Amino acid sequence: MDRFIDDLPPMDLMRSEKMMFVQLIIPVESAQRAVSYLGELGLLQFRDLNSDKSPFQRTFVNQVKRCGEMSRKLRFFKEQINKAGLQSSVHPVSGPDLDLEELEIQLAEHEHELIETNSNSEKLRQTYNELLEFKMVLQKAGGFLVSSNGHAVAEETELSENVYSMNDYADTASLLEQDIRAGPSNQSGLRFISGIICKSKVLRFERMLFRATRGNMLFNQAPADEEIMDPVTAEMVEKTIFVVFFSGEQARTKILKICEAFGANCYPVSEDLTKQRQIIREVLSRLSELEATLDAGIRHRNKALTSIGFHLTKWMNMVRREKAVYDTLNMLNFDVTKKCLVGEGWCPIFAKAQIQEVLQRATFDSNSQVGTIFHVMDSMESPPTYFRTNRFTNAFQEIVDAYGVARYQEANPAVYAVITFPFLFAVMFGDWGHGICLLLGALVLIAQERKLSNQKLGSFMEMLFGGRYVLLLMSLFSIYCGLIYNEFFSVPFHIFGGSAYRCRDTTCSDAYTAGLVKYREPYPFGVDPSWRGSRSELPFLNSLKMKMSILLGVTQMNLGIILSYFDARFFGSSLDIRQESEVILYLGARYQFVPQLIFLNSLFGYLSLLIIIKWCTGSQADLYHILLLLLATVAVPWMLFPKPFILRKLHTERFQGRTYGILGTSEMDLEVEPDSARQHHEDFNFSEIFVHQMIHSIEFVLGAVSNTASYLRLWALSLAHSELSTVFYEKVLLLAWGYDNLVIRLVGLAVFAFATAFILLMMETLSAFLHALRLHWVEFQNKFYHGDGYKFRPFSFALINDEED
Amino acid sequence: MYGFEAMTFNIHGGYLEAIVRGYRAGLLTAADYNNLCQCETLDDIKMHLSATEYGPYLQNEPSPLHTTTIVEKCTLKLVDEYKHMLCQATEPLSTFLEYITYGHMIDNVVLIVTGTLHERDVQELLEKCHPLGMFDSIATLAVAQNMRELYRLVLVDTPLAPYFSECITSEDLDDMNIEIMRNTLYKAYLEDFYKFCQKLGGATAEIMSDLLAFEADRRAVNITINSIGTELTRDDRRKLYSNFGLLYPYGHEELAVCEDIDQVRGVMEKYPPYQSIFSKLSYGESQMLDKAFYEEEVKRLCLAFEQQFHYGVFFAYMRLREQEIRNLMWISECVAQNQKSRVHDSVVFIF
C-alpha cells in the first residue's frame, strides 16, 4: 500500500512549489541593475530587513523621492493632456532609451515650459476675458441706458418693468436713439455702475445691494450671450450683465465694495452713444487680435503636449519601475563593510539557475569586479505558497485562495475543483438549453481573450472574464446534466430514440392521475421524455436527485478524508520540515484517518451502497445494519483517545536524548549550527491537545451528519431550477401562445425571454455557483485543508504594472 | 429615550457613525508622530504623510513645500470628510453637524472685520479663513462700518444672526469691540449648542454637555486671563461667561473679580477636574496653559468614542482632526525653521 502510494506520479498542482530561503550579497555598484533584472524575471520575493525604520530613514530615500517627484510631473502632464482634450498615445513609440537622470532633466524642462506657457496663456485669457466682458457690458448696458434714460421721468414702477421687457427695448433701441441724446441722466442726480457677474451670484448680489442702499437703487440685469472661460479651471461660466442705478457718493463706495466682494467686474460705459460705438469698435479689433494670439498659444501648447504624450506611457512605466527598484533596494541591508547590500528572500527552487544567470548578467553589465553571492539559508518562517497556474487553472486556484491560501506544500483542493466544481454546479443547473446559452457566452469570452485581456474592464466583466474557463466547464457540464434530466427550457426532447412509455388511452387525460404504461425497452439515456407532466415525474426525479446528491456528497467527503491521509504521510515523512510540533500533529492525523473513514462509511457509505444496489437490482435492503452501527460507535472513541496518547509517547521519545535544554539561543549560535537549533521549541501540553482533539472529534461526528445533509442542496436547487423554468415556460410562454393575438404572443415571448435571461441565466447561475462554492469550501475542504499559508509575491515589474493599471 | 438609542439610532445615524469611526481610525498614531518628529525637511514630512490618509491630498504638490500648503491640504481633507458626512446626514444630525462649524464662522467674521479695520486686502483675508466657517456673503463683511450694519447687511442671512441680539450697537468697530463681539457671539453659540444637545437627549446630551461644559469653562478662564489688565469691567467680564458649565455660577463670580493669574489658579483649583491641569503648571505661568487644556480636551474627546449611538463622536472627530492639523502645522514649522528641539512644546498626542 505504502509503496503503491509512493510510486504514484507527482501531480504538478497538488503541492505548491518547493521554496528556498536565499541570501544575496550584492556589491553596491551592481545592486541597482541586479534588482531591476530580478524584477524583470519576477521570481524572488524580498523580505523587508528594515521594517523598523521609517521610510525616510532608509538608504535610497532620495531616489525614491526623486521618483515620486517625477511621477508627480508625469501626472501633471497627463492631466494637462486630458484637459486639452488630446489623446495620449496608447502604443508607446520606440524613442531612444533614457536613463533616469536624463529623464529627470527632460521632465523638469517640459514642466517648466508647460507652466510658463500656461501662465502666459492664462494672462492672455484674462485680458481676453476682460475685453469680452467689456464688449458684452457695452452692448447690453447700452440697451439699459437707452431704455432707462428714455423713461427717466417716468414712474419707478415703469422702470422696474424695464427689467422684464428689456429685450424688446434692446431691439428698439436704435429707433429711440435720437430722443435720448437730449437728456443726460446726471441731471436727475442718478448715477450708475455697470459690470458683469457670475450668474449663480446674481440673486445674492442684488439682495446685498438692496440692503446696503436701503432700497434706493435700481438693478437691471441681462444674461450674457456667450459663456466665458474661467482661465484657471478652464470651465465655461455663465455670466450676467448688470447695471445699477443709484444716487449719492456714499452709495457708490458701498456698491463698489460689494462688487469687489462678489468678484463682479465693473466696466465704465459712456453714455455718449458715438463714444460708445467707438469704444466697441476698438474693443472688437483688440479682441480679434488677442484671439489670434490665444489660438497660436494654444496650438503651440498642444503641439508640446502631443510630443510629450507620445512618450508618456513609456516614461510612466520607467519611473514606476525605477521606484519599485529603489523601494526594493530599501528593503536590503548594508553589510559591515558598507560595500555590499545584503538581501534575503524566498524563491522557488526551480528558479535558482535563472536567478543566478540574471545576477551574473547584472555583474557583467555593470562592470563590477566582484560577483553577487547567492546562497541558500535556513529559515524559521514557513515558506510562501506558490502554485504555477496557467490561464485555465488560475480561476480555479483563485476560487480556493478566496477561502484561504494553502499552507506551504499542503494538498491543493484546486486540482479536484477543476472538475468537481463545475460538475456540482451543473447538478444544480441541469438544463441543456440554458447550458448552451452559457456555453455561447463562455465561447465569446474565450474567443475575444486576446482583445479583452489588454483592455480595462468593469468590475463585473472583469470577474466574468477571469472565470471564463470555469464558465466553459460549467456550461459543458450543465449540458451533460441537462441531457440526463432531459431538460431544455423545461421542454422534453426525444433525442435518444422513442419513449418507453405510452398513455393508457388515446386522450392521455389520466397521465397525471393514473400514470403511464411501459411498452418497450427503457429510454437509453437520461430521463424518459414522456414522463414530463405525468404522475411518475416528480417522485422519480426527486428520488433520483436526492440519492444522487448523497452519493456525490459521500464520495467527495471520502476524497477529503483520503487527502488528509496523503497530507499526513507527506508531512510526516518529509525531513526538511521545520517545526517539530507540526510534524507531530501530522503524524497524529495518520491515526485519525482510519476511524474517520470507518465512521463516515459505516453510516453514509453503507447508505450509498444500498442506493446503488437498489438502482441495480431493485431490491430493498435493511437500512440499519447492526454491525455497522456498532463499528460507528467504536470509531468515535477511537478517533478521540489514541491520538493524544500517541502524541505524548512520540514526544517523550523524541526528546528523550535531550534532557538538557538548549541554552545558547543567541543569533550567533543559530548561524553556526542552523540544522539543530533553529526549531521552534514548544512545550507539549497534554490537556490542551486532548481538549483540542475532543473538539475535533465532536466536530467530525456532527459534521458527518450535517455535511451529508448539506449536500441535499444539490437536489433542492436542481428541483427549484427545473420548476422555475417550467413555470416560465408553461405559465407565460404557452399561456400567451394560447391566444390568437400577435401582441399578447409578443408580450409573452418578451416576458419569457427576460425571465430566462435574468432570473434563470443570471440569478440561478449565481446561486448555483455560490452553493457549489460552499460545498467546496465547507463540506469538502474542512476534511483536510488548513488554508493558513501566505501567497508568494515576487518582486516583478509585470505585477507592478498590473496593480497600477 | 435615554438608554434606548440602540433600538433606533442606526436607522439614520448608523451609517454615518460607522463612517466617522472609520475616519477616526485614520488619525495619526503615536508612531506616526514619532516619525514625523524625526523628519529633517518638509519633503520628509510629505513623504511620511503620503503613507497616511493625507497621501492623495499631498501627492500632487510640487517639491519645495511650504507649511501653509501642508496645512491647507490637510484642512481640505477634513473639509471633504465633513462635507461628505453633511451630505449623508438627516435631521437632527445635519443640524448638529452644522452647529460644529459655527465656531469657525464666528472666527472668520472676526478675522475679516479686524482685517478690514486694519485695511488688509479682502482676498488675502479670505484665504486665511477656515474653510469650514465660510458662508456665501462673507466677503461683503468688509462693507460694514459698525455692528448694526454688520448685522443688517450680512449676518442676518447666516445662522449666526440670533446670536447677535446681544451685541447690536451703533458704535464704530474697533479692536476691543470686535473681541467683545467674538466672545459674546461665542457665548451665545455655546449656549445655543448646549440647549440643542439637551433637546436631543440621551447619550448625545450627556456626552456633549460634558464636552461643551469643558469648552465653556476653558473660554471663561481664557477670557479672564486675557482681560486682566485691560479696561474691561468686572460686570462686562462676567457677561461674557457662558451660562453653563462646571464653573457656573459660583466659579464665574469668583473669576470675574480675579486680578492676576494666581488668583485664577486659586479659583480653578477648587474644581477637581481642573486641579490636575493647573497642578502641572508652575506658579505664575500661563504659557503652557493652552497646551494643558488641549491635552485635557483631547483626552475627553477620545473618551467620547467609548460610547456608541450618540452624536458626540462627530464633534469629537472634528475637534481631534483639527488638533491633529494644529500638530502638523507646529511640527512643520519647527522643521522648516530648524527648531526641532521645540517640536514637543506644543504637540498634543492624540492617542
Side-chain angles (χ1 to χ4, degrees):
Chain A
M1 175 71 181
D2 273 8
R3 168 148 312 158
F4 170 71
I5 291 170
D6 287 337
D7 288 347
L8 286 176
M11 264 192 285
D12 216 17
L13 261 183
M14 183 68 170
R15 311 264 169 214
S16 64
E17 289 297 330
K18 280 211 170 85
M19 307 298 274
M20 55 185 184
F21 190 70
V22 295
Q23 191 181 42
L24 300 164
I25 302 176
I26 318 172
V28 176
E29 63 268 23
S30 64
Q32 201 256 351
R33 206 177 285 264
V35 170
S36 84
Y37 284 179
L38 283 173
E40 266 159 39
L41 183 66
L43 280 170
L44 185 64
Q45 173 179 356
F46 283 95
R47 231 176 54 150
D48 193 355
L49 300 177
N50 299 323
S51 48
D52 51 332
K53 286 187 188 166
S54 59
F56 52 84
Q57 286 171 325
R58 300 190 176 202
T59 326
F60 296 94
V61 58
N62 283 327
Q63 283 85 338
V64 172
K65 267 193 217 163
R66 272 167 57 194
C67 290
E69 183 67 16
M70 282 190 323
S71 50
R72 183 193 64 75
K73 282 176 188 157
L74 288 169
R75 276 198 302 273
F76 172 69
F77 295 149
K78 200 171 182 184
E79 187 197 345
Q80 289 288 325
I81 288 174
N82 287 342
K83 225 187 207 175
L86 300 171
Q87 281 291 317
S88 64
S89 74
V90 186
H91 308 289
V93 288
S94 51
D97 274 335
L98 299 165
D99 67 7
L100 209 61
E101 276 74 28
E102 285 167 10
L103 181 63
E104 198 175 8
I105 294 164
Q106 264 200 24
L107 287 184
E109 274 172 15
H110 282 304
E111 194 198 20
H112 186 69
E113 191 189 330
L114 208 56
I115 287 176
E116 203 160 305
T117 42
N118 272 355
S119 71
N120 279 344
S121 68
E122 211 171 279
K123 268 185 220 150
L124 274 178
R125 171 67 65 183
Q126 193 86 41
T127 16
Y128 176 77
N129 280 353
E130 275 170 19
L131 280 173
L132 193 64
E133 286 176 0
F134 192 19
K135 185 191 91 181
M136 286 193 278
V137 171
L138 279 172
Q139 284 169 348
K140 293 275 174 179
F144 286 129
L145 291 179
V146 165
S147 52
S148 58
N149 285 347
H151 297 261
V153 280
E155 303 222 349
E156 205 180 322
T157 45
E158 230 179 299
L159 275 172
S160 54
E161 270 171 22
N162 286 345
V163 179
Y164 307 106
S165 53
M166 158 245 53
N167 281 331
D168 310 33
Y169 279 105
D171 293 337
T172 53
S174 52
L175 299 173
L176 293 167
E177 267 170 35
Q178 298 101 324
D179 309 327
I180 300 145
R181 295 181 65 188
S185 56
N186 276 358
Q187 280 181 350
S188 55
L190 206 61
R191 306 206 281 169
F192 68 91
I193 290 175
S194 54
I196 193 163
I197 190 174
C198 277
K199 199 181 171 192
S200 53
K201 289 184 187 166
V202 172
L203 210 65
R204 273 185 278 123
F205 181 58
E206 187 179 352
R207 192 165 52 201
M208 192 54 65
L209 286 176
F210 186 85
R211 273 195 204 135
T213 57
R214 295 170 189 267
N216 296 322
M217 60 104 200
L218 180 68
F219 187 79
N220 283 351
Q221 54 170 332
D225 302 325
E226 302 168 55
E227 292 186 338
I228 289 170
M229 188 194 259
D230 189 299
V232 183
T233 58
E235 273 172 30
M236 300 306 272
V237 187
E238 272 189 77
K239 294 223 168 178
T240 300
I241 293 146
F242 64 86
V243 180
V244 196
F245 296 95
F246 58 91
S247 60
E249 184 58 36
Q250 222 182 351
R252 185 185 147 80
T253 48
K254 265 188 193 166
I255 290 174
L256 280 177
K257 261 189 181 172
I258 293 173
C259 286
E260 191 193 355
F262 274 90
N265 300 325
C266 299
Y267 298 97
V269 178
S270 161
E271 284 176 68
D272 187 354
L273 268 176
T274 43
K275 225 175 176 183
Q276 235 185 68
R277 286 221 192 89
Q278 196 188 332
I279 294 172
I280 289 186
R281 251 194 316 270
E282 270 173 36
V283 166
L284 280 177
S285 73
R286 276 191 63 197
L287 262 180
S288 59
E289 270 170 39
L290 264 177
E291 212 159 330
T293 337
L294 260 180
D295 277 349
I298 287 173
R299 237 177 291 131
H300 173 71
R301 202 178 72 123
N302 283 358
K303 222 167 88 188
L305 281 177
T306 336
S307 75
I308 294 172
F310 279 133
H311 303 285
L312 198 62
T313 327
K314 192 182 147 200
W315 287 346
M316 279 180 130
N317 273 338
M318 189 173 152
V319 170
R320 206 177 288 150
R321 280 171 170 227
E322 286 299 323
K323 183 159 185 292
V325 168
Y326 285 118
D327 276 338
T328 311
L329 281 172
N330 270 337
M331 292 183 184
L332 309 188
N333 246 338
F334 267 110
D335 77 337
V336 200
T337 58
K338 289 266 173 192
K339 280 179 186 151
C340 292
L341 283 165
V342 182
E344 290 176 5
W346 291 101
C347 72
I349 285 179
F350 72 83
K352 192 176 174 184
Q354 280 168 287
I355 290 174
Q356 270 167 340
E357 195 265 329
V358 156
L359 289 175
Q360 261 169 20
R361 195 149 51 86
T363 316
F364 181 75
D365 285 353
S366 52
N367 294 324
S368 172
Q369 304 282 318
V370 202
T372 303
I373 301 169
F374 174 78
H375 63 97
V376 183
M377 293 213 311
D378 234 42
S379 169
M380 295 220 309
E381 272 177 65
S382 126
T385 310
Y386 175 42
F387 292 108
R388 273 194 286 179
T389 54
N390 51 29
R391 58 188 173 187
F392 179 78
T393 46
N394 188 39
F396 295 98
Q397 190 64 54
E398 292 281 314
I399 287 175
V400 170
D401 284 351
Y403 174 79
V405 176
R407 189 179 276 187
Y408 177 62
Q409 296 246 295
E410 186 178 30
N412 181 13
V415 179
Y416 304 95
V418 172
I419 294 302
T420 54
F421 185 84
F423 181 68
L424 287 189
F425 169 86
V427 170
M428 294 179 269
F429 197 75
D431 185 317
W432 58 280
H434 295 153
I436 286 173
C437 296
L438 282 192
L439 181 65
L440 290 179
L443 286 178
V444 167
L445 283 177
I446 290 169
Q448 307 250 311
E449 191 173 72
R450 188 154 299 169
K451 205 181 106 201
L452 287 175
S453 58
N454 293 328
Q455 224 168 300
K456 199 171 157 57
L457 305 164
S459 65
F460 183 73
M461 264 310 275
E462 181 99 51
M463 223 159 59
L464 217 56
F465 179 68
R468 60 200 182 278
Y469 288 105
V470 184
L471 205 62
L472 177 75
L473 282 190
M474 287 190 328
S475 61
L476 288 177
F477 278 110
S478 357
I479 293 172
Y480 169 70
C481 283
L483 287 173
I484 291 181
Y485 298 158
N486 207 339
E487 296 243 20
F488 177 88
F489 296 109
S490 89
V491 187
F493 271 81
H494 295 263
I495 306 174
F496 303 102
S499 165
Y501 292 85
R502 63 165 185 221
C503 300
R504 284 168 195 275
D505 49 31
T506 45
T507 55
C508 236
S509 54
D510 57 351
Y512 192 73
T513 45
L516 306 165
V517 221
K518 188 172 179 186
Y519 73 105
R520 57 173 175 183
E521 283 298 292
Y523 188 67
F525 185 83
V527 175
D528 197 310
S530 296
W531 282 357
R532 160 82 42 190
S534 75
R535 199 176 79 137
S536 36
E537 184 199 4
L538 269 185
F540 176 76
L541 278 181
N542 279 348
S543 139
L544 169 80
K545 286 175 179 172
M546 176 171 67
K547 286 171 182 169
M548 203 170 65
S549 314
I550 302 274
L551 283 184
L552 292 173
V554 170
T555 318
Q556 204 180 18
M557 286 191 293
N558 270 318
L559 175 65
I561 298 174
I562 290 170
L563 279 177
S564 80
Y565 176 71
F566 277 100
D567 262 356
R569 268 184 58 86
F570 181 81
F571 286 112
S573 60
S574 63
L575 290 170
D576 62 337
I577 193 80
R578 281 157 188 84
Q579 298 195 351
E580 205 154 300
S581 53
E582 233 170 72
V583 176
I584 289 181
L585 280 180
Y586 276 114
L587 281 175
R590 295 175 77 157
Y591 301 97
Q592 230 176 314
F593 161 71
V594 179
Q596 282 189 347
L597 217 51
I598 289 178
F599 183 80
L600 184 68
N601 286 311
S602 65
L603 295 179
F604 299 103
Y606 178 60
L607 181 74
S608 311
L609 187 72
L610 290 183
I611 290 171
I612 294 169
I613 290 174
K614 193 187 170 193
W615 278 353
C616 295
T617 66
S619 69
Q620 180 102 42
D622 186 10
L623 187 57
Y624 301 104
H625 204 289
I626 194 70
L627 182 69
L628 287 174
L629 274 181
L630 265 177
L631 262 181
T633 333
V634 170
V636 177
W638 187 358
M639 234 183 285
L640 175 59
F641 292 113
K643 186 176 151 190
F645 290 103
I646 290 169
L647 286 186
R648 187 166 67 170
K649 191 163 146 259
L650 278 175
H651 183 84
T652 42
E653 268 172 16
R654 261 180 199 244
F655 290 95
Q656 226 167 20
R658 293 200 208 155
T659 25
Y660 298 99
I662 301 144
L663 286 174
T665 47
S666 70
E667 276 295 313
M668 285 308 285
D669 288 343
L670 297 181
E671 293 294 333
V672 173
E673 217 179 19
D675 282 40
S676 67
R678 287 199 103 175
Q679 281 135 354
H680 228 43
H681 198 76
E682 271 175 26
D683 281 335
F684 184 81
N685 190 340
F686 181 73
S687 62
E688 198 175 297
I689 287 197
F690 193 82
V691 170
H692 199 71
Q693 182 62 21
M694 203 149 79
I695 294 170
H696 260 282
S697 308
I698 294 173
E699 195 186 310
F700 182 84
V701 170
L702 295 181
V705 181
S706 74
N707 291 352
T708 312
S710 185
Y711 275 96
L712 290 177
R713 72 185 66 234
L714 292 174
W715 163 38
L717 265 107
S718 158
L719 185 71
H721 183 83
S722 80
E723 289 301 309
L724 257 179
S725 56
T726 312
V727 166
F728 289 128
Y729 176 68
E730 284 179 1
K731 302 289 175 205
V732 177
L733 194 62
L734 288 189
L735 191 77
W737 228 248
Y739 294 93
D740 197 16
N741 183 334
L742 189 67
V743 178
I744 294 181
R745 282 184 176 191
L746 280 180
V747 168
L749 194 66
V751 171
F752 175 73
F754 268 100
T756 305
F758 287 103
I759 299 183
L760 291 175
L761 282 178
M762 280 177 66
M763 306 230 328
E764 280 280 288
T765 310
L766 263 181
S767 89
F769 185 93
L770 287 180
H771 282 282
L773 208 59
R774 185 221 142 92
L775 287 179
H776 277 83
W777 281 354
V778 180
E779 274 74 26
F780 176 49
Q781 293 183 8
N782 78 0
K783 301 286 184 293
F784 67 99
Y785 191 60
H786 290 92
D788 53 359
Y790 64 102
K791 247 189 180 165
F792 177 56
R793 294 189 189 285
F795 168 59
S796 152
F797 290 145
L799 286 180
I800 290 166
N801 285 350
D802 280 356
E803 270 170 34
E804 294 274 329
D805 291 338
Chain B
M1 273 298 283
Y2 183 64
F4 291 95
E5 288 96 349
M7 294 176 72
T8 53
F9 183 86
N10 280 346
I11 300 170
H12 293 299
Y15 171 66
L16 277 177
E17 189 178 357
I19 291 273
V20 82
R21 280 176 191 275
Y23 283 155
R24 183 241 187 196
L27 287 171
L28 299 181
T29 59
D32 287 319
Y33 281 116
N34 265 340
N35 283 332
L36 283 172
C37 291
Q38 291 166 18
C39 287
E40 294 291 340
T41 63
L42 289 183
D43 276 339
D44 286 347
I45 291 183
K46 175 186 165 190
M47 187 154 167
H48 186 84
L49 288 181
S50 66
T52 66
E53 295 200 344
Y54 291 115
Y57 289 86
L58 282 169
Q59 68 171 0
N60 282 341
E61 288 312 308
S63 207
L65 273 176
H66 297 288
T67 317
T68 44
T69 341
I70 295 181
V71 174
E72 195 182 304
K73 292 293 162 185
C74 294
T75 317
L76 184 66
K77 176 181 149 59
L78 174 67
V79 174
D80 283 351
E81 286 169 351
Y82 173 78
K83 282 184 180 154
H84 176 75
M85 291 195 288
L86 191 63
C87 285
Q88 305 283 337
T90 52
E91 283 298 330
L93 178 55
S94 51
T95 313
F96 182 88
L97 286 175
E98 276 163 8
Y99 263 107
I100 296 177
T101 63
Y102 293 170
H104 293 294
M105 244 181 234
I106 294 171
D107 287 341
N108 284 353
V109 168
V110 172
L111 179 76
I112 299 262
V113 173
T114 331
T116 17
L117 205 65
H118 295 287
E119 289 171 353
R120 294 273 179 77
D121 182 36
V122 181
Q123 286 307 319
E124 188 188 313
L125 289 171
L126 282 179
E127 275 165 24
K128 279 189 192 163
C129 285
H130 197 285
L132 277 182
M134 289 303 229
F135 48 91
D136 286 338
S137 41
I138 190 163
T140 340
L141 284 172
V143 181
Q145 297 294 323
N146 55 38
M147 297 273 190
R148 197 177 290 281
E149 271 194 333
L150 200 65
Y151 175 72
R152 206 176 51 78
L153 280 183
V154 190
L155 295 173
V156 70
D157 287 338
T158 66
L160 298 183
Y163 307 150
F164 248 87
S165 54
E166 279 192 42
C167 54
I168 297 178
T169 52
S170 298
E171 283 175 64
D172 275 355
L173 293 167
D174 60 40
D175 281 340
M176 180 83 173
N177 269 340
I178 293 172
E179 205 49 42
I180 291 177
M181 176 184 87
R182 182 213 296 270
N183 285 308
T184 327
L185 284 179
Y186 228 102
K187 170 196 168 170
Y189 156 60
L190 282 179
E191 283 171 6
D192 189 31
F193 197 7
Y194 183 77
K195 240 183 278 164
F196 176 73
C197 292
Q198 292 302 319
K199 209 173 74 199
L200 289 177
T204 307
E206 186 196 23
I207 284 161
M208 284 308 293
S209 69
D210 182 46
L211 293 176
L212 288 176
F214 180 76
E215 178 77 21
D217 291 345
R218 182 172 65 177
R219 289 199 77 83
V221 173
N222 280 340
I223 289 169
T224 314
I225 292 176
N226 290 336
S227 63
I228 289 172
T230 60
E231 57 207 57
L232 200 69
T233 62
R234 287 177 183 181
D235 283 343
D236 284 344
R237 192 195 279 178
R238 174 74 189 80
K239 268 188 212 153
L240 296 177
Y241 300 151
S242 308
N243 287 331
F244 67 98
L246 207 57
L247 299 178
Y248 176 78
Y250 304 112
H252 286 168
E253 300 297 341
E254 290 183 61
L255 274 184
V257 296
C258 285
E259 293 294 342
D260 61 49
I261 174 89
D262 286 332
Q263 282 180 8
V264 177
R265 188 192 182 108
V267 175
M268 295 303 283
E269 279 183 343
K270 291 179 192 161
Y271 294 87
Y274 301 120
Q275 208 172 13
S276 60
I277 294 178
F278 278 86
S279 65
K280 281 183 209 158
L281 308 173
S282 51
Y283 275 89
E285 184 188 33
S286 62
Q287 296 294 316
M288 297 300 281
L289 187 62
D290 272 344
K291 193 190 175 193
F293 267 123
Y294 277 135
E295 272 170 358
E296 177 68 18
E297 188 190 9
V298 162
K299 211 158 64 187
R300 286 169 186 238
L301 291 172
C302 286
L303 283 179
F305 282 92
E306 300 295 315
Q307 207 166 332
Q308 227 186 323
F309 310 125
H310 65 94
Y311 292 158
V313 284
F314 298 97
F315 179 79
Y317 171 70
M318 297 297 286
R319 282 299 170 93
L320 286 175
R321 258 296 179 217
E322 280 164 29
Q323 181 61 45
E324 181 175 293
I325 292 169
R326 273 198 294 273
N327 288 344
L328 282 176
M329 181 161 76
W330 178 260
I331 294 175
S332 308
E333 278 299 345
C334 286
V335 169
Q337 297 175 10
N338 247 336
Q339 298 273 326
K340 278 181 67 184
S341 53
R342 295 193 55 206
V343 163
H344 289 276
D345 285 2
S346 164
V347 172
V348 181
F349 295 103
I350 292 180
F351 294 111

